Every structure is written in C-alpha cells, then in structure tokens.
C-alpha cells in the first residue's frame, strides 16, 4: 500500500475491521517506524476510543471503586515535609490500638485473625495481579448476571491460574469448594485448591498450579468436606471449558 | 496543551510513581465511561464490574511504563476496555474466532513512539454524539456492529444481509463523517 492508500484505512485499522492482510501490512509499516502513519493511526485510535461515549451512561456500584483501590498499594513511599506529624500520628494510633487491644484478649485474638485473613487476601490479590499481567494469560468467562454463579478464570501456562467467582452458593459449616483441573486425556481431575467465598458469595482464588490449556480441558468446582478431597465426591457446580 | 491533557499527564506521573492516587484519579475520570462500555457490549452488569476491576488492575500493573509524552491515557483505557469486553463476549460465544488484536499490540498502538495530544478527543463527547446522531440509520447500524460487537466487515454483511461492498462503503462514509466532526480532515 502507498501512503495515499493507507490514509484511506487508518480508521478501519483502528476499529479493527480492516482485512487481516492489509492490517498486517500496516503493522509492519508502523514497526518500520513511519512517523507519518504513527501520527495518523494515533488520531484514528482517538476517534475510535471516543466512540465509547455512544454507550448509554451507566455507573458502577461504589463498592467496585473500593475493591480496586483496596488492591493497589504504593510500593515506594516518598518522604514529605509532614512526615514527622504523620509518624507521630501513627505512633499515637498504634498506642491507642495497643491499649485497646490489651483491654480485651478476645478482641486482640479477633483482630489477629482478621489481620491474618486480610494479609492472605492481599497476597492472593497480588498473585492475581501478577498472573493477570503476564502477556500469555488467557481469560475465560462463565455464567451470566443474576443469581447464578458467574465470573472468570484467568489461566497462565507457567504462572498458575486465578478463579474469580460471584454469586457462589452458600456452603455448610463443614464444607468447602474445591477446584479441579480436568485433563483433556480423560484422566482423573487433579485437585487445585480449596476456597470459601465471602458472605456475598464472592471469591478470588489463586493457584500456582501450572495450567497448560492444550492438555487441560476445563477447570471445575465441586462442594467437598472442609478438609478437601483427592477426587470429586459431588457433581461439580461449575465446569469452565478452557478450549 | 488542553486542560484535560494535563490532568492525564498528572495521572500518568502518579502511575509511574506507583501512587494509588493515580488509579483513583483515572477511575474517577474514565471509570464510568469504561463501565458503560462494558455494559453496552456485554449486557451484563455483574460481568461489567468484573471487567472494570480487571481493566484498572491492568492499568496499575502497566502504568509504571507509561510515558506522558508518548501516549494518551484515555485512548489506552477505552481501547483496552473495548477489547476486554468483546473478548469476554466471544469467550462465551465460541461461534466467533477471535480476530481481535492482542492486548500487547493494542497497548503499543496507544503508547508507542508517536507524540501525544489525543486525549482531548475522548472528552469531546458532544461532538461525536452529534456526528453519530447525524449519520443515516444504515451507517449507524454498521458502526454499532463494528464498534460494539467487534464484527469484521464480512460479518456485518452477513448479519444485515447486504453485499460486502455496500457495508464497506457505509463504514468508510460513517468514519469519514465522524473524523470531520472531531476536527480531522476528510482525508489525511
């Protein structure tokens, strides 16, 4: 294609509807460093992105913002002019916390358990972000809105997988959910972790088990006794095909 | 530089510094647009919230590499959002082979080596809405199928049972008019 011909298709390229051969030619042209086309493709990307405003206005629930901001944490702190005040305030808060905690052993135990749970949740979410950020991670959705279980399974061949579920059914006190990797070979499902959702039926579970989508047919979830099982003892409530 | 551009530049600097305020600011600026896009494409509010979380965690992960002089934050967010949503729908509808660009390819297009200055277009909502409203019904239909459904021109032709040439003509005409509405030349 000449530049004149390319100028006719920048928006088609940005929209993703250009024929694959022509798109590949522009890809290569951009890789070769044509600044003229880079500028015009950037313009076209802007135009296409602006089309998002054609969607009817919608607002997510406030909890979504809290959930997202609860995961992201600063990795490096920069000292500020007010750090001494902050440190003093922190020390005062710690002292108050200690006094409060010591005043009640049961409160202290409860807070420790809560801290351990939050720490575990934080570590899980960090691992989830790492898996999510890998370029070869695949996402597979399951279920639909409403009261039925739904969510996503994010699979990485080397880095494990993440199970994100919502509206999961309530468990008995002596039960747990168990994840299974179902081999394509027809062999027995392999256990891949236990989890219990929160009171709202939501759960994010990260497994370090390597999942090769070529040899693993599906990820399944079944209800098992609280200590887990070596093989499913109930019919899975979810089977998410990876193919 | 447009005032909105400087807001994006500030957010990018915060993301580069791993400052969570950058995610909060980006969410407040683009979260509703992205969510509306997710709902429009998936027709599923629960899935839209999951995708919104996935989008901003991805932004948090990638933002440290962004360069405010080389890219457009809003374009990145809404382009990735569209890809995520269409990919989500297609993963549930195996009748489509995935023809979407990879996320990495899309990201390189949004934050490549080209100069920035495109953010203002994202905020030029009224212009594109007015231009879209002025399109013919046939042009609107093909653009909706292309943008929200991620259909190729061949898939659009099959869907509306019109010749491929007619579809191509409508898509080009519609894009040309939208381009003019956003201040571009009719042909660059």
């Amino acid at each position: 294609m000449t530049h004149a011909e390319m100028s006719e298709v920048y928006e088609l390229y940005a929209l993703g509807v250009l024929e694959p051969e022509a798109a590949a030619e522009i890809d290569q042209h951009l890789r070769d460093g044509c600044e003229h086309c880079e500028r015009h493709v950037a313009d076209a990307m802007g135009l296409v992105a602006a089309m998002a405003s054609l969607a009817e206005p919608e607002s997510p629930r406030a909890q979504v913002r809290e959930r997202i901001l609860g995961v992201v944490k600063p990795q490096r702190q920069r000292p500020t002019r007010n750090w001494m005040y902050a440190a003093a305030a922190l020390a005062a808060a710690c002292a108050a916390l200690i006094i409060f905690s010591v005043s009640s052993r049961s409160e202290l135990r409860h807070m420790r358990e809560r801290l351990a749970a939050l720490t575990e949740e934080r570590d899980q979410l960090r691992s989830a972000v790492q898996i999510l950020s890998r370029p070869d991670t695949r996402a597979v959705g399951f279920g639909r809105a409403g009261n039925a279980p739904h969510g996503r399974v994010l699979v990485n061949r080397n880095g494990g997988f993440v199970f994100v579920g919502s509206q999961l059914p309530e468990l008995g006190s002596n039960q747990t959910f168990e994840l299974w990797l179902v081999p394509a070979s027809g062999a027995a499902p392999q256990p891949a972790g236990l989890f219990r959702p929160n009171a709202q039926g939501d759960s994010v579970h990260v497994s370090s088990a390597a999942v090769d989508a070529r040899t693993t047919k599906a990820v399944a979830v079944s209800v098992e006794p609280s200590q887990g099982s070596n093989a499913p003892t109930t019919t899975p409530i979810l089977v998410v095909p990876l193919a | 530089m447009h005032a909105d551009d400087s807001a994006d530049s500030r957010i990018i600097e915060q993301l580069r510094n791993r400052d969570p305020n950058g995610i909060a600011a980006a969410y407040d600026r683009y979260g509703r647009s992205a969510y509306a896009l997710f709902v429009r494409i998936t027709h599923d509010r629960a899935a839209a919230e999951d995708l919104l979380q996935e989008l901003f965690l991805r932004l948090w992960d990638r933002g440290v590499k962004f360069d405010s002089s080389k890219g457009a934050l809003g374009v990145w967010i809404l382009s990735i959002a569209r890809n995520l949503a269409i990919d989500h729908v297609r993963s549930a509808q195996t009748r489509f082979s995935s023809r979407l660009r990879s996320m990495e390819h899309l990201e390189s297009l949004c934050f490549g080596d080209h100069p920035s200055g495109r953010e203002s277009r994202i905020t030029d909502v009224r212009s594109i809405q007015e231009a879209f409203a002025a399109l013919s019904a046939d042009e609107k239909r093909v653009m909706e199928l292309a943008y929200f459904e991620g259909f190729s021109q061949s898939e659009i032709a099959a869907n509306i049972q019109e010749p491929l040439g007619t579809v191509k003509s409508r898509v080009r005409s519609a894009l040309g008019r939208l381009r003019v509405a956003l201040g571009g030349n009719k042909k660059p």
Side-chain angles (χ1 to χ4, degrees), chain A residues 68-69 72 129 132-133, chain B residues 8 11-12 14-16 18-31 34 51-66 72-78 80 84 107 111:
Chain A
I68 292 169
L69 296 182
V72 299
V129 170
L132 184 64
S133 66
Chain B
D8 277 358
I11 293 171
I12 289 173
Q14 289 173 316
L15 294 174
R16 283 173 59 81
R18 301 294 279 168
D19 179 352
N21 291 321
I23 285 293
Y27 185 92
D28 292 341
R29 192 160 158 71
Y30 296 108
L51 290 167
L52 194 60
Q53 180 166 340
E54 189 174 335
L55 172 68
F56 279 93
L57 291 182
R58 191 178 188 93
L59 176 64
W60 175 246
D61 183 66
R62 303 298 165 93
V64 71
K65 296 174 187 165
F66 288 175
L73 181 66
V75 175
W76 186 95
I77 289 176
L78 296 174
I80 296 294
L84 278 174
E107 287 174 348
F111 273 88

Side-chain angles (χ1 to χ4, degrees), chain B residues 21-188:
Chain B
N21 291 321
I23 285 293
Y27 185 92
D28 292 341
R29 192 160 158 71
Y30 296 108
R32 285 184 62 191
S33 298
Y35 178 72
L37 184 59
F38 287 140
V39 172
R40 174 65 178 77
I41 292 175
T42 65
H43 305 287
D44 181 337
R45 285 184 170 76
E49 289 188 349
D50 291 342
L51 290 167
L52 194 60
Q53 180 166 340
E54 189 174 335
L55 172 68
F56 279 93
L57 291 182
R58 191 178 188 93
L59 176 64
W60 175 246
D61 183 66
R62 303 298 165 93
V64 71
K65 296 174 187 165
F66 288 175
D67 182 343
S68 59
S69 70
K70 290 184 176 176
L73 181 66
V75 175
W76 186 95
I77 289 176
L78 296 174
S79 300
I80 296 294
R82 176 178 176 246
N83 244 45
L84 278 174
I86 293 174
D87 195 40
H88 172 84
V89 171
R90 291 188 171 199
S91 71
Q93 298 175 355
T94 53
R95 62 197 172 97
F96 291 111
S97 59
S98 181
R99 189 183 38 75
L100 293 175
R101 292 191 183 92
S102 70
M103 292 295 177
E104 289 66 38
H105 185 193
L106 197 52
E107 287 174 348
S108 73
L109 288 176
C110 296
F111 273 88
D113 290 330
H114 48 72
S116 72
R118 317 294 166 196
E119 290 98 320
S120 54
R121 288 192 160 184
I122 300 299
T123 60
D124 196 3
V125 170
R126 184 177 297 174
S127 295
I128 197 155
Q129 288 177 340
E130 288 176 355
F132 191 81
L135 298 179
S136 71
D138 288 337
E139 288 172 335
K140 284 179 191 168
R141 184 72 187 127
V142 295
M143 288 307 295
E144 284 174 344
L145 289 171
Y147 182 74
F148 292 117
E149 307 294 337
F151 281 7
S152 70
Q153 294 180 94
S154 304
E155 288 168 342
I156 295 171
N159 184 278
I160 63 175
Q161 299 183 322
E162 294 274 10
L164 179 58
T166 303
V167 168
K168 286 185 174 181
S169 171
R170 286 178 189 163
V171 170
R172 286 188 186 218
S173 165
L175 284 172
R177 293 169 67 178
L178 294 177
R179 185 196 306 148
V180 170
L182 287 184
N185 297 321
K186 191 154 190 178
K187 286 183 183 175

